[in-house]
């Protein structure tokens, strides 16, 4: 039976699954900037002569601004256009990033990182909405797999780059490189055409369309749990490796296997989207995550931590792209708003997972932390599989 495509989706029903290269580069840059700060916090604290606990505010403020900006950018992208919002945000991020590199003290740096995080927060949800506008539902997950490959590569290379910078170069390069890349992406996006999208109504209409949709609530709730399990757990891979005696650079290099796993397994997702339904891909992703966390909990060590980093990348490729594609289809008439709510929920969950895992990590009990994550993976995967299957059947 051919699924019925809603009227607002019909605007975007195109067969092409390619994501424009400048948009892919913008998404890569946004993730690179977000993941690069963690490995250099110790170096930043020493250079600015402040306690590590104070330097952590640089990362915390960035993450908070990044997450809280999502609904703002989502509403604006529905009203002004995806690319217009992305170009504006990248320009602001480039200026704030360059200013961050010249920050004379921690207070100035923290403020500039908040501005940078708020600006870069526009890129991923608006890019997802662009794909939702430009690619038909039946091929959307394949297109999103390309975008997720760029995001995974960005996060993986950021960890590796930051580890090298922390050991041998100047920590200020961590801010300069993504700022210059953001400026280059602005220029590249000038040649990309805005895809057609459903006309936006009033702000109340946009928000009402999302708030009245029960699947929007489900996707957001699953985003919170996914963020806690996948992103929250990923936060502790490098500390777990350092707890085993590895250096910052070595821990960063091994954690970068997450990016390699994402890159490799998104190719598999793209090849399998025509053969396996979305809920089946989610089940495969959940199995990968469960296997990784299970191994790290049962036999804690460098090799199992490397395995969990790789398999989290696989889970991100299979499970996360399923949720992302679902988020782009839930409320097509207010796609940007709906997608941004899901992304915001994802980062709320990430912060929650990092907070809950801080206690066991501080005691060096990483096997307990990864064991709890493994247990939580089971109901998460079941809920995504059943919910996505019901949503598809509804059409």
């Amino acid at each position: 039976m051919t699924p019925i495509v809603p009227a607002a989706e019909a605007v975007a029903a195109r067969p092409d699954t390619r994501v424009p290269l400048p948009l892919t580069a913008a998404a890569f840059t946004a993730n690179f900037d977000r993941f690069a700060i963690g490995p250099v916090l110790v170096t930043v604290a020493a250079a600015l002569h402040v306690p590590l606990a104070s330097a952590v505010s640089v990362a915390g403020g960035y993450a908070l601004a990044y997450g809280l900006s999502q609904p703002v950018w989502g509403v604006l992208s529905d009203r002004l256009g995806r690319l217009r919002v992305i170009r504006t945000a990248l320009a602001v991020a480039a200026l704030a990033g360059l200013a961050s590199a010249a920050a004379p003290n921690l207070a100035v740096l923290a403020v500039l990182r908040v501005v940078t995080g708020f600006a870069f927060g526009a890129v991923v949800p608006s890019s997802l909405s662009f794909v939702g506008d430009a690619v038909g539902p039946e091929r959307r997950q394949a297109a999103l797999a390309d975008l997720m490959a760029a995001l995974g590569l960005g996060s993986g290379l950021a960890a590796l780059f930051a580890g090298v910078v922390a050991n041998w170069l100047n920590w200020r390069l961590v801010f300069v490189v993504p700022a210059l890349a953001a400026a280059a992406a602005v220029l590249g996006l000038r040649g990309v055409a805005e895809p057609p999208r459903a006309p936006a109504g009033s702000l109340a209409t946009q928000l009402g369309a999302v708030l009245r949709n029960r699947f929007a609530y489900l996707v957001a709730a699953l985003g919170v749990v996914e963020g806690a399990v996948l992103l929250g757990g990923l936060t502790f891979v490098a500390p777990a490796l350092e707890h085993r005696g590895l250096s910052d650079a070595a821990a960063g290099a091994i954690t970068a296997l997450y990016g390699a796993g994402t890159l490799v397994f998104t190719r598999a997702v793209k090849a399998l989207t025509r053969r396996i339904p979305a809920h089946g891909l989610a089940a495969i992703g959940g199995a990968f995550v469960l296997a990784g966390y299970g191994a790290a909990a049962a036999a804690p060590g460098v090799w199992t931590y490397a395995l969990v980093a790789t398999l989290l990348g696989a889970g991100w490729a299979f499970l996360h792209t399923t949720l992302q594609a679902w988020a782009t289809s839930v409320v097509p008439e207010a796609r940007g708003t709906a997608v941004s709510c899901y992304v915001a929920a994802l980062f709320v969950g990430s912060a929650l997972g990092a907070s809950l895992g801080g206690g066991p990590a501080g005691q060096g009990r990483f096997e307990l932390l990864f064991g709890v994550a493994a247990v939580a993976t089971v109901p998460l995967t079941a809920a995504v599989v059943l919910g996505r299957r019901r949503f598809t059947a509804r059409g």
Side-chain angles (χ1 to χ4, degrees), residues 199-254:
S202 66
L203 178 59
T205 300
Q206 281 179 260
L207 296 174
V210 175
L211 294 175
R212 288 192 301 269
N213 191 300
R214 62 190 177 92
F215 280 107
Y217 287 99
L218 176 59
V219 169
L222 291 173
V224 171
V225 181
E226 179 199 19
V229 173
L230 269 70
L231 294 181
L234 178 64
T235 302
F236 296 103
V237 172
L241 288 163
E242 292 174 25
H243 183 70
R244 310 292 295 190
L246 273 68
S247 67
D248 291 348
I254 292 175

Short mmCIF file of all heavy atoms in Angstrom, two decimals, residues 199-254:
data_model
loop_
_atom_site.label_atom_id
_atom_site.label_comp_id
_atom_site.label_asym_id
_atom_site.label_seq_id
_atom_site.Cartn_x
_atom_site.Cartn_y
_atom_site.Cartn_z
N PRO A 199 3.49 27.39 3.32
CA PRO A 199 3.44 28.77 3.82
C PRO A 199 3.18 28.81 5.32
O PRO A 199 2.36 28.05 5.84
CB PRO A 199 2.29 29.39 3.03
CG PRO A 199 1.45 28.24 2.57
CD PRO A 199 2.41 27.10 2.37
N ALA A 200 3.91 29.69 6.01
CA ALA A 200 3.75 29.81 7.45
C ALA A 200 2.54 30.69 7.78
O ALA A 200 2.31 31.71 7.15
CB ALA A 200 5.00 30.41 8.07
N GLY A 201 1.77 30.26 8.76
CA GLY A 201 0.68 31.08 9.24
C GLY A 201 1.18 31.99 10.34
O GLY A 201 2.37 32.32 10.42
N SER A 202 0.29 32.39 11.22
CA SER A 202 0.69 33.23 12.34
C SER A 202 1.52 32.41 13.32
O SER A 202 1.56 31.17 13.26
CB SER A 202 -0.54 33.78 13.05
OG SER A 202 -1.27 32.71 13.65
N LEU A 203 2.20 33.11 14.23
CA LEU A 203 2.99 32.42 15.24
C LEU A 203 2.12 31.48 16.06
O LEU A 203 2.51 30.34 16.36
CB LEU A 203 3.67 33.44 16.14
CG LEU A 203 4.52 32.88 17.29
CD1 LEU A 203 5.63 31.98 16.76
CD2 LEU A 203 5.11 34.02 18.13
N ALA A 204 0.92 31.93 16.41
CA ALA A 204 0.00 31.08 17.18
C ALA A 204 -0.39 29.84 16.39
O ALA A 204 -0.51 28.74 16.95
CB ALA A 204 -1.25 31.88 17.55
N THR A 205 -0.55 29.99 15.07
CA THR A 205 -0.90 28.85 14.22
C THR A 205 0.25 27.85 14.18
O THR A 205 0.03 26.63 14.27
CB THR A 205 -1.22 29.33 12.80
OG1 THR A 205 -2.33 30.24 12.85
CG2 THR A 205 -1.57 28.15 11.90
N GLN A 206 1.48 28.37 14.05
CA GLN A 206 2.66 27.49 14.03
C GLN A 206 2.76 26.67 15.31
O GLN A 206 2.89 25.44 15.27
CB GLN A 206 3.93 28.32 13.89
CG GLN A 206 4.24 28.81 12.50
CD GLN A 206 5.51 29.64 12.52
OE1 GLN A 206 5.48 30.86 12.51
NE2 GLN A 206 6.64 28.97 12.56
N LEU A 207 2.71 27.36 16.43
CA LEU A 207 2.85 26.68 17.70
C LEU A 207 1.68 25.75 17.98
O LEU A 207 1.84 24.65 18.50
CB LEU A 207 3.00 27.70 18.83
CG LEU A 207 4.25 28.57 18.78
CD1 LEU A 207 4.21 29.63 19.87
CD2 LEU A 207 5.51 27.73 18.91
N GLY A 208 0.48 26.20 17.60
CA GLY A 208 -0.71 25.39 17.83
C GLY A 208 -0.67 24.09 17.06
O GLY A 208 -1.10 23.04 17.56
N ALA A 209 -0.15 24.14 15.82
CA ALA A 209 -0.07 22.92 15.01
C ALA A 209 0.81 21.87 15.68
O ALA A 209 0.53 20.67 15.64
CB ALA A 209 0.48 23.25 13.63
N VAL A 210 1.89 22.33 16.33
CA VAL A 210 2.78 21.41 17.02
C VAL A 210 2.16 20.93 18.33
O VAL A 210 2.17 19.74 18.64
CB VAL A 210 4.14 22.08 17.29
CG1 VAL A 210 5.05 21.16 18.11
CG2 VAL A 210 4.82 22.45 15.97
N LEU A 211 1.59 21.85 19.09
CA LEU A 211 1.07 21.51 20.41
C LEU A 211 -0.16 20.62 20.34
O LEU A 211 -0.48 19.93 21.32
CB LEU A 211 0.74 22.79 21.18
CG LEU A 211 1.94 23.67 21.54
CD1 LEU A 211 1.49 24.97 22.19
CD2 LEU A 211 2.90 22.92 22.45
N ARG A 212 -0.87 20.62 19.22
CA ARG A 212 -2.07 19.77 19.09
C ARG A 212 -1.74 18.37 18.58
O ARG A 212 -2.63 17.52 18.53
CB ARG A 212 -3.08 20.42 18.15
CG ARG A 212 -3.78 21.65 18.71
CD ARG A 212 -4.96 22.05 17.83
NE ARG A 212 -4.52 22.34 16.47
CZ ARG A 212 -4.16 23.55 16.04
NH1 ARG A 212 -4.18 24.57 16.87
NH2 ARG A 212 -3.79 23.73 14.79
N ASN A 213 -0.50 18.13 18.21
CA ASN A 213 -0.14 16.86 17.58
C ASN A 213 0.46 15.92 18.62
O ASN A 213 1.54 16.19 19.17
CB ASN A 213 0.85 17.12 16.44
CG ASN A 213 1.06 15.89 15.57
OD1 ASN A 213 1.50 14.85 16.05
ND2 ASN A 213 0.76 16.03 14.29
N ARG A 214 -0.20 14.81 18.89
CA ARG A 214 0.28 13.89 19.93
C ARG A 214 1.60 13.23 19.56
O ARG A 214 2.42 12.92 20.44
CB ARG A 214 -0.78 12.83 20.22
CG ARG A 214 -1.13 11.93 19.06
CD ARG A 214 -2.36 11.06 19.38
NE ARG A 214 -2.77 10.23 18.26
CZ ARG A 214 -2.34 8.98 18.07
NH1 ARG A 214 -1.52 8.43 18.95
NH2 ARG A 214 -2.74 8.28 17.03
N PHE A 215 1.85 13.05 18.25
CA PHE A 215 3.12 12.45 17.85
C PHE A 215 4.28 13.42 18.07
O PHE A 215 5.41 12.99 18.31
CB PHE A 215 3.07 12.00 16.38
CG PHE A 215 2.37 10.69 16.19
CD1 PHE A 215 1.11 10.64 15.61
CD2 PHE A 215 2.97 9.50 16.58
CE1 PHE A 215 0.45 9.43 15.42
CE2 PHE A 215 2.32 8.28 16.41
CZ PHE A 215 1.07 8.25 15.83
N ALA A 216 4.00 14.72 18.02
CA ALA A 216 5.05 15.70 18.31
C ALA A 216 5.51 15.55 19.75
O ALA A 216 6.71 15.65 20.06
CB ALA A 216 4.54 17.10 18.04
N TYR A 217 4.58 15.32 20.66
CA TYR A 217 4.93 15.10 22.06
C TYR A 217 5.75 13.82 22.22
O TYR A 217 6.72 13.77 22.98
CB TYR A 217 3.67 15.02 22.93
CG TYR A 217 2.98 16.33 23.14
CD1 TYR A 217 1.87 16.68 22.39
CD2 TYR A 217 3.42 17.23 24.11
CE1 TYR A 217 1.20 17.88 22.58
CE2 TYR A 217 2.77 18.44 24.32
CZ TYR A 217 1.66 18.77 23.55
OH TYR A 217 1.03 19.96 23.75
N LEU A 218 5.34 12.77 21.51
CA LEU A 218 6.04 11.50 21.62
C LEU A 218 7.47 11.62 21.11
O LEU A 218 8.42 11.16 21.76
CB LEU A 218 5.29 10.42 20.83
CG LEU A 218 5.97 9.04 20.77
CD1 LEU A 218 6.16 8.48 22.17
CD2 LEU A 218 5.14 8.09 19.90
N VAL A 219 7.64 12.26 19.95
CA VAL A 219 8.98 12.42 19.38
C VAL A 219 9.87 13.24 20.32
O VAL A 219 11.04 12.93 20.53
CB VAL A 219 8.90 13.06 17.98
CG1 VAL A 219 10.28 13.47 17.49
CG2 VAL A 219 8.27 12.08 17.00
N ALA A 220 9.31 14.30 20.90
CA ALA A 220 10.08 15.13 21.83
C ALA A 220 10.48 14.33 23.07
O ALA A 220 11.62 14.41 23.55
CB ALA A 220 9.30 16.37 22.23
N ALA A 221 9.54 13.55 23.61
CA ALA A 221 9.84 12.74 24.79
C ALA A 221 10.92 11.71 24.49
O ALA A 221 11.85 11.50 25.29
CB ALA A 221 8.57 12.04 25.28
N LEU A 222 10.83 11.09 23.33
CA LEU A 222 11.86 10.13 22.94
C LEU A 222 13.19 10.83 22.72
O LEU A 222 14.26 10.26 22.98
CB LEU A 222 11.43 9.39 21.66
CG LEU A 222 10.25 8.43 21.84
CD1 LEU A 222 9.80 7.89 20.48
CD2 LEU A 222 10.62 7.28 22.76
N GLY A 223 13.15 12.08 22.25
CA GLY A 223 14.38 12.85 22.08
C GLY A 223 15.10 13.08 23.41
O GLY A 223 16.33 13.02 23.48
N VAL A 224 14.33 13.34 24.47
CA VAL A 224 14.93 13.53 25.79
C VAL A 224 15.66 12.25 26.22
O VAL A 224 16.82 12.29 26.67
CB VAL A 224 13.87 13.91 26.83
CG1 VAL A 224 14.46 13.90 28.24
CG2 VAL A 224 13.27 15.28 26.52
N VAL A 225 15.00 11.11 26.08
CA VAL A 225 15.60 9.85 26.50
C VAL A 225 16.79 9.51 25.61
O VAL A 225 17.85 9.06 26.10
CB VAL A 225 14.56 8.71 26.48
CG1 VAL A 225 15.19 7.40 26.95
CG2 VAL A 225 13.37 9.06 27.34
N GLU A 226 16.64 9.72 24.32
CA GLU A 226 17.75 9.45 23.40
C GLU A 226 18.96 10.30 23.74
O GLU A 226 20.10 9.82 23.75
CB GLU A 226 17.30 9.72 21.96
CG GLU A 226 18.40 9.47 20.94
CD GLU A 226 18.15 10.16 19.62
OE1 GLU A 226 17.33 11.10 19.57
OE2 GLU A 226 18.80 9.76 18.62
N GLY A 227 18.73 11.59 24.01
CA GLY A 227 19.84 12.46 24.37
C GLY A 227 20.55 11.99 25.62
O GLY A 227 21.79 12.01 25.70
N ALA A 228 19.77 11.55 26.63
CA ALA A 228 20.37 11.08 27.88
C ALA A 228 21.18 9.81 27.66
O ALA A 228 22.28 9.66 28.20
CB ALA A 228 19.27 10.84 28.92
N VAL A 229 20.64 8.90 26.85
CA VAL A 229 21.29 7.60 26.66
C VAL A 229 22.48 7.69 25.71
O VAL A 229 23.60 7.24 26.03
CB VAL A 229 20.27 6.56 26.15
CG1 VAL A 229 20.98 5.25 25.79
CG2 VAL A 229 19.20 6.30 27.20
N LEU A 230 22.28 8.27 24.53
CA LEU A 230 23.35 8.29 23.53
C LEU A 230 24.36 9.40 23.79
O LEU A 230 25.55 9.14 23.97
CB LEU A 230 22.76 8.43 22.11
CG LEU A 230 22.46 7.11 21.39
CD1 LEU A 230 21.27 6.41 22.04
CD2 LEU A 230 22.16 7.36 19.92
N LEU A 231 23.90 10.65 23.83
CA LEU A 231 24.83 11.76 24.00
C LEU A 231 25.36 11.82 25.43
O LEU A 231 26.54 12.12 25.65
CB LEU A 231 24.15 13.07 23.64
CG LEU A 231 23.77 13.24 22.16
CD1 LEU A 231 23.12 14.60 21.93
CD2 LEU A 231 24.98 13.07 21.26
N GLY A 232 24.47 11.56 26.41
CA GLY A 232 24.93 11.56 27.80
C GLY A 232 25.99 10.51 28.03
O GLY A 232 27.02 10.77 28.68
N GLY A 233 25.78 9.32 27.50
CA GLY A 233 26.77 8.26 27.66
C GLY A 233 28.07 8.55 26.93
O GLY A 233 29.16 8.27 27.45
N LEU A 234 27.96 9.14 25.74
CA LEU A 234 29.16 9.49 24.98
C LEU A 234 30.05 10.46 25.75
O LEU A 234 31.28 10.41 25.64
CB LEU A 234 28.75 10.09 23.64
CG LEU A 234 29.88 10.55 22.71
CD1 LEU A 234 30.73 9.37 22.29
CD2 LEU A 234 29.31 11.28 21.49
N THR A 235 29.45 11.33 26.53
CA THR A 235 30.21 12.31 27.32
C THR A 235 31.26 11.65 28.20
O THR A 235 32.32 12.24 28.47
CB THR A 235 29.24 13.13 28.21
OG1 THR A 235 28.26 13.77 27.38
CG2 THR A 235 29.98 14.16 29.03
N PHE A 236 30.99 10.42 28.65
CA PHE A 236 31.86 9.79 29.64
C PHE A 236 32.84 8.79 29.04
O PHE A 236 33.58 8.14 29.79
CB PHE A 236 31.00 9.10 30.70
CG PHE A 236 30.16 10.08 31.48
CD1 PHE A 236 28.80 10.21 31.23
CD2 PHE A 236 30.74 10.88 32.45
CE1 PHE A 236 28.04 11.12 31.93
CE2 PHE A 236 29.99 11.80 33.16
CZ PHE A 236 28.63 11.92 32.91
N VAL A 237 32.87 8.67 27.71
CA VAL A 237 33.84 7.73 27.12
C VAL A 237 35.26 8.22 27.33
O VAL A 237 36.14 7.46 27.77
CB VAL A 237 33.53 7.54 25.61
CG1 VAL A 237 34.64 6.72 24.95
CG2 VAL A 237 32.19 6.84 25.42
N ALA A 238 35.53 9.50 27.03
CA ALA A 238 36.89 10.02 27.22
C ALA A 238 37.31 9.99 28.70
O ALA A 238 38.43 9.54 29.02
CB ALA A 238 37.00 11.43 26.65
N PRO A 239 36.46 10.45 29.66
CA PRO A 239 36.85 10.32 31.06
C PRO A 239 37.11 8.88 31.49
O PRO A 239 38.00 8.62 32.31
CB PRO A 239 35.65 10.91 31.81
CG PRO A 239 35.05 11.88 30.85
CD PRO A 239 35.23 11.24 29.50
N ALA A 240 36.33 7.93 30.94
CA ALA A 240 36.55 6.52 31.29
C ALA A 240 37.91 6.05 30.80
O ALA A 240 38.61 5.30 31.49
CB ALA A 240 35.44 5.66 30.67
N LEU A 241 38.31 6.51 29.62
CA LEU A 241 39.62 6.15 29.08
C LEU A 241 40.75 6.79 29.90
O LEU A 241 41.77 6.15 30.18
CB LEU A 241 39.71 6.59 27.61
CG LEU A 241 38.88 5.77 26.63
CD1 LEU A 241 38.69 6.52 25.32
CD2 LEU A 241 39.52 4.40 26.38
N GLU A 242 40.54 8.06 30.29
CA GLU A 242 41.55 8.73 31.10
C GLU A 242 41.66 8.07 32.47
O GLU A 242 42.75 8.03 33.07
CB GLU A 242 41.21 10.21 31.22
CG GLU A 242 41.34 10.97 29.91
CD GLU A 242 40.85 12.41 30.00
OE1 GLU A 242 40.86 12.96 31.11
OE2 GLU A 242 40.46 12.96 28.96
N HIS A 243 40.54 7.53 32.96
CA HIS A 243 40.56 6.81 34.24
C HIS A 243 41.42 5.54 34.14
O HIS A 243 41.97 5.08 35.16
CB HIS A 243 39.12 6.44 34.62
CG HIS A 243 39.01 5.76 35.95
ND1 HIS A 243 39.23 6.41 37.15
CD2 HIS A 243 38.70 4.46 36.28
CE1 HIS A 243 39.04 5.56 38.15
NE2 HIS A 243 38.74 4.37 37.66
N ARG A 244 41.56 5.02 32.93
CA ARG A 244 42.41 3.84 32.72
C ARG A 244 43.87 4.23 32.50
O ARG A 244 44.71 3.37 32.23
CB ARG A 244 41.92 3.04 31.51
CG ARG A 244 40.44 2.70 31.50
CD ARG A 244 40.02 1.74 32.57
NE ARG A 244 40.59 0.42 32.46
CZ ARG A 244 40.22 -0.62 33.18
NH1 ARG A 244 39.24 -0.49 34.07
NH2 ARG A 244 40.80 -1.79 33.04
N GLY A 245 44.18 5.54 32.57
CA GLY A 245 45.57 5.98 32.47
C GLY A 245 45.97 6.59 31.14
O GLY A 245 47.14 6.93 30.95
N LEU A 246 45.03 6.76 30.21
CA LEU A 246 45.38 7.31 28.91
C LEU A 246 45.49 8.83 28.99
O LEU A 246 44.85 9.48 29.82
CB LEU A 246 44.33 6.93 27.87
CG LEU A 246 44.55 5.58 27.15
CD1 LEU A 246 44.38 4.42 28.11
CD2 LEU A 246 43.59 5.44 25.97
N SER A 247 46.28 9.42 28.09
CA SER A 247 46.45 10.87 28.03
C SER A 247 45.23 11.51 27.38
O SER A 247 44.39 10.82 26.78
CB SER A 247 47.69 11.23 27.21
OG SER A 247 47.49 10.86 25.84
N ASP A 248 45.13 12.84 27.46
CA ASP A 248 44.04 13.56 26.81
C ASP A 248 44.00 13.28 25.32
O ASP A 248 42.94 13.06 24.73
CB ASP A 248 44.19 15.08 27.03
CG ASP A 248 43.95 15.47 28.47
OD1 ASP A 248 43.44 14.63 29.24
OD2 ASP A 248 44.28 16.62 28.83
N ALA A 249 45.19 13.31 24.69
CA ALA A 249 45.26 13.11 23.24
C ALA A 249 44.81 11.70 22.86
O ALA A 249 44.06 11.51 21.90
CB ALA A 249 46.69 13.36 22.75
N ALA A 250 45.27 10.69 23.62
CA ALA A 250 44.88 9.31 23.32
C ALA A 250 43.40 9.09 23.54
O ALA A 250 42.72 8.44 22.73
CB ALA A 250 45.70 8.35 24.18
N ALA A 251 42.86 9.64 24.64
CA ALA A 251 41.44 9.51 24.91
C ALA A 251 40.61 10.19 23.83
O ALA A 251 39.58 9.67 23.39
CB ALA A 251 41.11 10.10 26.28
N GLY A 252 41.07 11.37 23.38
CA GLY A 252 40.36 12.07 22.32
C GLY A 252 40.38 11.30 21.02
O GLY A 252 39.38 11.23 20.30
N ALA A 253 41.53 10.68 20.71
CA ALA A 253 41.65 9.91 19.48
C ALA A 253 40.71 8.70 19.49
O ALA A 253 40.07 8.38 18.48
CB ALA A 253 43.09 9.47 19.28
N ILE A 254 40.63 8.02 20.63
CA ILE A 254 39.76 6.84 20.71
C ILE A 254 38.29 7.25 20.68
O ILE A 254 37.46 6.61 20.03
CB ILE A 254 40.09 6.01 21.97
CG1 ILE A 254 41.48 5.39 21.82
CG2 ILE A 254 39.05 4.92 22.19
CD1 ILE A 254 41.96 4.66 23.06
#
